[in-house]
Amino acid sequence: MRLILMGPPGAGKGTQAKVIATHFKIPAISTGDIFRANVAGKTPLGLEAQRYMDAGEYVPDEVTNAMVRDRLSLPDAAGGFLLDGYPRTLAQVKELDEMLGDLDSSLDAVVVLTAEINELVARLLQRAAVEGRADDTEDVIRRRQEVYAEQTEPLIAVYRERGLLIEVDGMGEIDAVTHRIFDALEQPA
């Protein structure tokens, strides 16, 4: 199974990615996790990425694309993968198409978690308090929602046109959302 999991910040992508990846026995590839690991390790990539993340902006495509290309070339991704947080822009869709072509592979589905913006802001503020995430101030959270709407929502139309899009309500209990995702993935195309 080769999947993309999309949705606005706070929609539960990270939580659902782990469950989906375990179910299908594929790696969950999260650009956010990779960026945070680099920030914590104070690597050159991490220092560059942190400037953008602290402002609620996306890390530049060239940095993100190189990281994803390297990750998809690893042996554990040969049988499938779940991308969480990539692609985020139309340029990244084109780059991913090229990566998949180089790997003689294609996507099976693009799952989009939908959610109401004020609920997302509340979720992210709660997560910031629990996890001590300095980058999750209300202003930064709202800016991330704006960036998602401007740059990522257009991808939904692209994947809808390709017949790959599955929209799932991301609101409610975690298990209920998980069941909606699996039900949608198991429906015949």
Side-chain angles (χ1 to χ4, degrees):
M1 184 70 75
R2 289 170 185 83
L3 300 169
I4 295 173
L5 185 59
M6 295 176 63
K13 295 180 303 295
T15 300
Q16 294 299 331
K18 292 178 182 97
V19 176
I20 296 166
T22 299
H23 177 80
F24 289 112
K25 297 177 178 55
I26 55 177
I29 301 169
S30 164
T31 53
D33 287 348
I34 296 169
F35 287 146
R36 280 188 286 279
N38 278 276
V39 167
K42 299 190 185 322
T43 68
L45 170 64
L47 295 173
E48 182 177 354
Q50 185 169 20
R51 288 191 334 221
Y52 295 95
M53 292 165 60
D54 285 350
E57 302 290 337
Y58 287 164
V59 176
D61 283 355
E62 59 273 9
V63 174
T64 307
N65 292 340
M67 178 190 61
V68 172
R69 182 176 289 277
D70 288 345
R71 183 62 186 89
L72 290 180
S73 70
L74 296 178
D76 69 332
F81 53 81
L82 182 145
L83 289 172
D84 167 15
Y86 185 90
R88 288 187 173 180
T89 65
L90 291 170
Q92 288 179 357
V93 169
K94 183 174 186 272
E95 185 71 22
L96 178 59
D97 288 345
E98 290 176 16
M99 289 179 211
L100 292 173
D102 292 346
L103 296 168
D104 196 28
S105 186
S106 63
L107 292 171
D108 293 302
V110 176
V111 177
V112 177
L113 297 178
T114 61
E116 198 276 323
I117 189 165
N118 288 326
E119 175 66 22
L120 297 176
V121 171
R123 280 185 189 180
L124 290 172
L125 287 171
Q126 181 179 9
R127 182 177 77 183
V130 170
E131 296 180 11
R133 288 189 177 193
D135 63 334
D136 281 353
T137 65
E138 185 165 352
D139 287 344
V140 170
I141 289 168
R142 290 199 180 275
R143 177 62 189 143
R144 280 209 226 99
Q145 301 296 339
E146 292 169 5
V147 171
Y148 174 82
E150 294 163 5
Q151 297 184 21
T152 305
E153 283 185 355
L155 280 59
I156 293 170
V158 169
Y159 288 121
R160 182 178 286 120
E161 288 172 15
R162 294 181 184 185
L164 293 170
L165 192 73
I166 298 172
E167 291 184 276
V168 175
D169 180 2
M171 302 300 289
E173 294 297 318
I174 292 170
D175 288 346
V177 175
T178 301
H179 287 296
R180 288 194 289 267
I181 292 169
F182 286 137
D183 287 347
L185 286 171
E186 292 170 9
Q187 289 178 355

